[in-house]
Amino acid sequence: MDLYTFDRGIFIPITVTFIGSGTGTLDPAPLNDGTIPVVNGESQTIIIQPTAGSYISDVSVNGVSQGAVNTVTFTNVTSEQTLSITFGRNSTGDSGPATYSPTLDVSDGGTIRVSPRTPEAGDTVTITPDPDSGYMVGGVTVTDRDGDAVRVTANRDGTYTFTQPRGRVTIAVTFVRETGETTFSDVPETYWAYDEIQWAYENGYVNGTSASTFAPGASISRQQVWMILARLSGAAPADMAAARAWAMETGVSDGTNPGAAVTRQQLAALLFRFAQANGYDDGQRGDLSRFPDAGSAASYAVEPLQWATAGGILNGTSQGTLNPAGTATRAQFAVMLYRFWNGL
């Protein structure tokens, strides 16, 4: 490993590699040898910005993909690190500007029409939901290729509009029964988290994945947790972008990887920071040594996990482990949220 010696001490290199047909810049910019030096033991945040006509396809840190993120933070750097960035390029060919056909994610209970079907960047796109008899629109969200929320406007005529960004978007529309009653076929009354799921759904914290299913074993994203906690605080974010801004302003989250699935330790950390920001931290801390895998918890999550286990918000798995890096399921989130909110 090559080390850099400056007045401030020893610097550790982050070796940067660019891949793909697109181009972009970094802040801070790499040196001529393609590295970004970091003071030994300190942290470094790198902002990635694609140039016009290009986009971020993937970012890998030490060989592990982070997705199409535009910010990467290296924490407590003591050994050489690698950063690989893949840039794609929007191809227009000879037929004119690039167009982007959306990915549609529509629940049972209705259909939608999208116009124009293959918009260009900057076009106004109209979503027209058509609920089946007995159903109504439960929610309409649009996310860009990076997983970030796109602002959606609800119109008086029942349509929804947004401005097409560069790259393909995902349009998600959920239909729910007009009565508000639900029977989730995959959550019978004997299910271990039945009461908590019903509570989370009836209070509007977590919707079903369709009119009749909840998908209790599926994951929940970071931006969805931000939105729910913002509402619990009394805020009313208009969309996922506003929820992300709220999470960053309050210190609940750093706002990265909005579309990523939340792990058990991340969920504990988000709830812990929310509790501290709102004066709900009672100061109690549990003993994690009773869990055989407690040593695998990330350093940032140790105190949040101590807090969560002390308050009964988070318990061990059926195998008696903490499983801090395991993905938090929708059922587990509903249970943790219920225990937290009703234990105040």
Side-chain angles (χ1 to χ4, degrees):
M1 176 178 67
D2 295 329
L3 299 180
Y4 301 86
T5 303
F6 295 97
D7 292 339
R8 292 176 60 195
I10 295 178
F11 281 60
I12 309 297
I14 299 174
T15 301
V16 180
T17 303
F18 295 104
I19 305 172
S21 58
T23 58
T25 60
L26 303 184
D27 182 15
L31 301 178
N32 291 335
D33 64 355
T35 65
I36 297 174
V38 183
V39 175
N40 185 32
E42 293 192 2
S43 300
Q44 176 66 62
T45 296
I46 300 173
I47 300 173
I48 307 167
Q49 180 62 53
T51 55
S54 298
Y55 61 92
I56 302 169
S57 177
D58 185 65
V59 175
S60 293
V61 173
N62 298 323
V64 179
S65 175
Q66 309 297 306
V69 299
N70 56 17
T71 303
V72 175
T73 298
F74 291 84
T75 304
N76 191 24
V77 178
T78 58
S79 61
E80 185 174 0
Q81 308 289 303
T82 62
L83 174 62
S84 178
I85 305 166
T86 303
F87 288 110
R89 177 172 292 278
N90 295 322
S91 176
T92 60
D94 298 328
S95 60
T99 58
Y100 309 98
S101 177
T103 298
L104 303 182
D105 181 8
V106 182
S107 75
D108 294 337
T111 58
I112 68 170
R113 288 183 289 109
V114 179
S115 179
R117 194 63 176 81
T118 54
E120 302 173 11
D123 282 353
T124 297
V125 180
T126 300
I127 305 168
T128 305
D130 184 15
D132 294 340
S133 176
Y135 287 83
M136 60 184 291
V137 177
V140 177
T141 61
V142 178
T143 52
D144 64 18
R145 63 189 174 202
D146 297 325
D148 293 327
V150 176
R151 182 178 293 276
V152 177
T153 300
N155 304 306
R156 291 184 177 181
D157 61 359
T159 63
Y160 298 79
T161 53
F162 68 93
T163 300
Q164 174 69 40
R166 291 188 179 276
R168 175 176 289 191
V169 302
T170 297
I171 299 174
V173 179
T174 302
F175 295 98
V176 297
R177 295 185 185 276
E178 290 181 340
T179 60
E181 298 176 355
T182 181
T183 300
F184 295 126
S185 60
D186 53 356
V187 185
E189 291 188 13
T190 54
Y191 189 71
W192 68 275
Y194 175 84
D195 290 338
E196 292 86 348
I197 289 173
Q198 286 296 107
W199 170 85
Y201 176 80
E202 290 171 0
N203 284 278
Y205 300 140
V206 185
N207 293 325
T209 54
S210 74
S212 59
T213 59
F214 184 83
S219 62
I220 191 163
S221 71
R222 286 165 57 82
Q223 64 184 0
Q224 289 171 331
V225 177
W226 300 337
M227 175 64 79
I228 291 166
L229 294 183
R231 289 171 176 165
L232 285 178
S233 73
D239 50 31
M240 289 299 185
R244 177 176 180 269
W246 170 89
M248 295 174 67
E249 290 168 0
T250 58
V252 169
S253 173
D254 61 5
T256 61
N257 301 325
V262 178
T263 64
R264 286 163 59 85
Q265 63 185 358
Q266 288 173 339
L267 185 52
L270 290 168
L271 288 172
F272 177 65
R273 293 171 191 149
F274 176 83
Q276 289 193 314
N278 291 275
Y280 299 145
D281 180 13
D282 58 7
Q284 297 185 38
R285 302 292 183 267
D287 182 7
L288 300 183
S289 63
R290 60 192 176 97
F291 300 103
D293 60 342
S296 64
S299 58
Y300 75 85
V302 172
E303 187 175 16
L305 288 169
Q306 292 173 333
W307 166 81
T309 54
I313 297 169
L314 177 66
N315 296 322
T317 66
S318 57
Q319 291 77 35
T321 61
L322 193 59
N323 191 21
T327 300
T329 66
R330 287 165 55 83
Q332 290 171 345
F333 171 74
V335 170
M336 289 179 66
L337 189 67
Y338 176 86
R339 291 171 177 169
F340 166 67
W341 195 239
N342 287 277
L344 296 178

